Amino acid sequence: MRTLTLCLTFLMFCCFASAQNDSLSQKITIKLPSTLEKAALVNEIEIPIQSHSETQSVDIKGEFWDTTVYNPYKNTITEFPLNIKFEDSTYASPISRKKIITSRYGWRRGRPHKGIDIDLITGDSVVSMLDGVVRFARYSRGHGRTVVVRHYNGLETTYAHLSKIGVKVNDTVAKGQYIGKGGNTGNSRGSHLHLVTTYKGEDIHPEYLFNFDETNTMRSKDIWVTRKWTRPSYHSSRRLSKLALYETKEEALASLEKQRKVYVVRKGDTLSRISQRNNTTITAICRTNKIKRNSTLRIGQKLILEL
């Protein structure tokens, strides 16, 4: 018994001494004798120490945490470009089946479509793409049964038209954790998942942030978002926009200088065809040239396209 007490005292001393000596290397080294009789045989165990800054959690509820409204940032002013950082390089697919996008972010039937629609069958499980906390989980006008998860980098992902909500507000969820079942509630034409990505109230083109293929990867761990990627009027819901990724603030600011192109109208041209060929929108063409959507185009007419 006396030998055991001496060994325990020795271990506690070693632990304390190692913690003092290794404070800069962020680890504790404990030397353990293999047996009480053969103390010469020593095993070493290293235990890493995390600093307070590493273990301190991010308070994502600190600002604009409202569990009763869809967009608590409605009356705030956003400065561009926005910088969004990701800790991980991959996300969890919100559905288990292959992701088929049936409608993209952009202008659709004369209205802004502020997310992407992913095909599913009513009852399919829907999971959170990233770690976070549930900020909103209730029926929302237009979106039907809706879950909004705020993530630790400030990004929020919205999962709309659900048939069932499986979480409550203030629930902490992990990447890939179940949050509800897909459906067709709200203003929806057929069962699908309406996925929206927002940052401080600004809708962001989801495909600018994420690759919606089998890789389930972020497009970058450090992304700068310009106003173009938050305005549906610059995009068409029928096709994928040309994605120009900005990974530095300098690249984002340089992109704000619009490139202008003079287009000469040819036989058979329509505003729709011109917009599709030049990766722009009819709204942008009309705005720049001060014409209406139903204006008659003349062969040889010059149009200014801002690309």
Side-chain angles (χ1 to χ4, degrees):
M1 185 66 184
R2 181 179 178 184
T3 303
L4 179 60
T5 302
L6 290 174
C7 288
L8 290 175
T9 304
F10 172 74
L11 290 176
M12 291 176 65
F13 173 78
C14 290
C15 180
F16 176 77
S18 297
Q20 295 293 321
N21 294 332
D22 293 337
S23 60
L24 295 178
S25 62
Q26 299 298 302
K27 65 182 180 180
I28 295 176
T29 302
I30 301 176
K31 296 182 179 181
L32 299 174
S34 58
T35 66
L36 295 178
E37 291 79 13
K38 299 180 180 180
L41 299 178
V42 177
N43 296 321
E44 290 187 357
I45 299 177
E46 292 186 354
I47 303 176
I49 303 175
Q50 287 186 318
S51 65
H52 177 71
S53 60
E54 292 174 329
T55 57
Q56 187 176 19
S57 61
V58 178
D59 183 15
I60 60 177
K61 296 182 181 181
E63 295 182 339
F64 297 93
W65 187 261
D66 193 328
T67 61
T68 61
V69 298
Y70 174 69
N71 181 13
Y73 297 94
K74 193 171 184 179
N75 297 318
T76 61
I77 299 175
T78 304
E79 293 185 6
F80 289 91
L82 304 173
N83 184 214
I84 301 178
K85 297 179 182 290
F86 294 98
E87 290 294 327
D88 295 330
S89 58
T90 61
Y91 66 91
S93 175
I95 61 173
S96 59
R97 63 180 67 245
K98 182 179 179 181
K99 297 183 289 297
I100 299 175
I101 299 176
T102 57
S103 186
R104 290 191 147 88
Y105 182 96
W107 208 251
R108 185 179 71 175
R109 296 191 291 270
R111 298 179 61 185
H113 186 235
K114 299 180 179 180
I116 62 172
D117 294 343
I118 303 176
D119 191 31
L120 53 66
I121 297 174
T122 297
D124 283 353
S125 292
V126 175
V127 304
S128 178
M129 295 175 66
L130 300 166
D131 296 342
V133 180
V134 178
R135 184 183 61 77
F136 186 90
R138 61 190 298 176
Y139 195 94
S140 177
R141 183 180 178 184
H143 282 164
R145 293 189 179 95
T146 303
V147 172
V148 178
V149 179
R150 183 177 294 182
H151 308 291
Y152 294 97
N153 60 356
L155 187 74
E156 290 190 340
T157 50
T158 297
Y159 311 83
H161 302 319
L162 303 177
S163 60
K164 181 180 180 180
I165 294 175
V167 289
K168 305 184 300 298
V169 294
N170 297 313
D171 280 354
T172 299
V173 294
K175 179 171 75 171
Q177 183 173 330
Y178 168 80
I179 58 174
K181 293 187 178 297
N184 188 30
T185 59
N187 185 14
S188 171
R189 299 184 179 185
S191 51
H192 66 274
L193 173 65
H194 180 62
L195 177 69
V196 181
T197 54
T198 58
Y199 184 78
K200 295 185 177 180
E202 293 288 343
D203 299 296
I204 299 176
H205 196 315
E207 291 175 277
Y208 186 69
L209 304 177
F210 302 101
N211 291 310
F212 288 93
D213 54 22
E214 66 280 356
T215 65
N216 295 335
T217 55
M218 285 73 165
R219 297 193 64 230
S220 175
K221 295 181 73 173
D222 192 355
I223 299 179
W224 288 84
V225 182
T226 59
R227 192 181 299 274
K228 175 181 179 181
W229 299 104
T230 66
R231 298 294 183 268
S233 59
Y234 286 102
H235 310 277
S236 171
S237 64
R238 292 178 294 179
R239 64 181 185 278
L240 177 62
S241 298
K242 184 178 180 180
L243 300 171
L245 182 65
Y246 308 126
E247 298 183 278
T248 66
K249 186 175 183 178
E250 291 71 25
E251 290 176 346
L253 293 174
S255 73
L256 300 179
E257 299 180 4
K258 294 183 178 179
Q259 298 180 357
R260 291 197 167 199
K261 171 184 177 182
V262 177
Y263 182 86
V264 181
V265 176
R266 297 175 291 182
K267 183 178 179 180
D269 273 343
T270 63
L271 286 175
S272 177
R273 290 181 181 177
I274 295 172
S275 66
Q276 291 177 9
R277 290 172 181 169
N278 294 276
N279 194 33
T280 186
T281 65
I282 296 176
T283 302
I285 296 174
C286 292
R287 181 175 57 244
T288 303
N289 295 275
K290 297 182 180 180
I291 59 177
K292 297 180 179 180
R293 298 176 71 91
N294 58 357
S295 296
T296 301
L297 300 180
R298 305 183 308 277
I299 296 176
Q301 179 181 353
K302 293 182 180 180
L303 298 175
I304 303 297
L305 306 181
E306 292 187 341
L307 308 177

